[in-house]
Amino acid sequence: MSFLQKLLNLFRGLAPRTRPLCDTCKYDYGNACSRPERPNALKCPDYKRG
């Protein structure tokens, strides 16, 4: 991972999320996700961009 990518990841981690991750997650259908934070999760260890 390049220095620029690490720096961008750092800034992304500091910026507050206003849009729930569930809106863009590939597991956002039917019963694919059973996390209690759904559908308004701002952090999720299972998140995959869909």
Side-chain angles (χ1 to χ4, degrees):
M1 185 180 289
S2 74
F3 174 75
L4 183 57
Q5 288 174 327
K6 289 180 183 180
L7 189 61
L8 285 173
N9 285 339
L10 174 67
F11 285 126
R12 285 183 188 138
L14 296 175
R17 292 198 181 268
T18 57
R19 182 175 175 197
L21 290 175
C22 300
D23 291 346
T24 58
C25 184
K26 81 176 197 176
Y27 302 119
D28 187 29
Y29 66 91
N31 292 329
C33 178
S34 60
R35 293 210 168 259
E37 302 91 348
R38 187 171 183 229
N40 301 314
L42 298 178
K43 285 186 173 184
C44 181
D46 297 333
Y47 175 76
K48 300 282 186 219
R49 187 174 270 305

